[in-house]
Amino acid sequence: MKKQVLIFGASSGIGFHLAQYFLQAKDSVINCSRRKCPDDRVRSIHCDVSKEGEIENAFKEIEKVCDGIDYFIYSAGTSMSAPFEYTKEEDCRYLCEVNFFGLAKATQLAIPLVKRKGGKIIFISSLGGAVPIPYDPFYSATKSAVNMLAVELNMELKAFGVDVITILPGGTATDFTAKRLVYPLEECGSYKAKTAKATKALAQIEQGGMSPQDVAKEIYYGINLKKTPIYLTIGAKNKLLRGAGKLLPKKALLKSVRKIYDIN
């Protein structure tokens, strides 16, 4: 049976490649993002999740073309390399709007449509929400918040047959790296040397990581399991890293992270 899929962030990266898997299954896909999805089979609705009122306006358009959603996927996100002490408030607020508050608002509006189908809600979070990313504190914090929100929503929506799944990919080779806001070193104060090392290491981890096609494939099959997990970690190496993050004492975990990013 043809399914209705709504993706926030299907114009590129993991969201775009997820859309391809649903299209191959002959499902109907709607994309909400600032840029149009390059695949014309996807209906695109303009939406900047950081701007007041745009998510609400997008859902007015969505409700004109579908009466229920089988899969709601939030894949929009942003990142920045900056020490916490020197992060500008406007940059912090923008990141939080895109990564968490936009997700929360879109999910609130999607829930009635998902409940009609007994569908699934999927958040594209990050391994960075479980294992911290140095000098990207607000990103890790928002992804950690997303992960806990998924747990909470599973409790609230269980009675309606709705599953909520949070996806934890590790480094993925997309243009997300190039789009990251990186503070100039002169704005990083006494943290500039370690910020530079951490930024370079993160870029190498991402661009040397899984392809977005492979990440999307693993997500697609994972969310269609008969019994879906609340946390779905993508990639064998990332599963090991997340396991270490749960088992190691926090100070030992931080020591390992500093070594990975060469900031001991």
Side-chain angles (χ1 to χ4, degrees):
M1 183 181 294
K2 189 173 185 177
K3 303 291 180 65
Q4 180 64 65
V5 183
L6 172 61
I7 304 177
F8 271 69
S11 61
S12 63
I14 294 171
F16 170 78
H17 290 285
L18 263 176
Q20 300 306 300
Y21 279 98
F22 285 108
L23 291 169
Q24 288 173 23
K26 308 300 182 183
D27 293 327
S28 177
V29 181
I30 298 173
N31 164 58
C32 291
S33 61
R34 291 180 301 175
R35 291 181 293 137
K36 183 178 181 292
C37 178
D39 191 322
D40 290 335
R41 294 175 295 174
V42 174
R43 179 191 293 268
S44 285
I45 297 172
H46 181 272
C47 181
D48 183 338
V49 298
S50 71
K51 292 186 177 178
E52 185 176 355
E54 292 215 4
I55 296 175
E56 291 88 340
N57 290 337
F59 271 90
K60 290 177 184 177
E61 295 300 313
I62 291 161
E63 290 173 352
K64 290 178 183 177
V65 296
C66 70
D67 60 359
I69 295 171
D70 295 281
Y71 296 88
F72 167 68
I73 302 169
Y74 193 93
S75 187
T78 188
S79 170
M80 64 178 165
S81 289
F84 178 88
E85 184 178 353
Y86 293 105
T87 301
K88 299 180 181 70
E89 182 177 348
E90 60 267 28
D91 294 334
C92 165
R93 288 186 177 277
Y94 176 77
L95 185 147
C96 292
E97 286 291 345
V98 175
N99 289 5
F100 185 75
F101 291 111
L103 176 146
K105 172 55 69 175
T107 303
Q108 282 183 321
L109 296 175
I111 283 174
L113 295 170
V114 177
K115 284 164 65 176
R116 291 175 194 171
K117 294 287 192 80
K120 297 180 180 181
I121 294 171
I122 297 104
F123 301 148
I124 308 300
S125 182
S126 169
L127 188 62
V131 178
I133 299 174
Y135 298 95
D136 202 349
F138 291 102
Y139 179 83
S140 287
T142 55
K143 294 301 185 180
S144 181
V146 166
N147 295 343
M148 185 52 67
L149 180 62
V151 176
E152 169 67 25
L153 290 181
N154 268 285
M155 289 191 291
E156 293 190 13
L157 298 175
K158 179 178 174 59
F160 301 97
V162 174
D163 289 326
V164 183
I165 308 157
T166 187
I167 310 296
L168 277 64
T172 306
T174 68
D175 60 358
F176 191 74
T177 306
K179 292 178 179 177
R180 176 174 293 112
L181 173 62
V182 178
Y183 271 34
L185 294 184
E186 60 268 21
E187 296 182 15
C188 295
S190 58
Y191 305 98
K192 61 182 179 182
K194 289 185 177 181
T195 301
K197 283 186 176 182
T199 302
K200 181 179 179 181
L202 178 57
Q204 290 173 339
I205 289 168
E206 290 173 338
Q207 295 306 305
M210 295 175 68
S211 71
Q213 296 94 328
D214 287 342
V215 171
K217 180 179 180 180
E218 196 167 330
I219 293 171
Y220 181 79
Y221 288 107
I223 64 178
N224 282 293
L225 292 171
K226 189 171 182 179
K227 292 186 177 180
T228 53
I230 296 177
Y231 284 16
L232 179 60
T233 306
I234 305 301
K237 290 183 179 179
N238 296 322
K239 288 181 173 71
L240 289 172
L241 187 54
R242 179 169 177 253
K246 291 191 292 184
L247 294 173
L248 286 174
K250 285 296 181 282
K251 286 189 177 180
L253 173 63
L254 293 178
K255 183 177 180 180
S256 297
V257 170
R258 287 196 297 268
K259 184 175 181 180
I260 292 171
Y261 285 85
D262 190 29
I263 56 170
N264 279 307

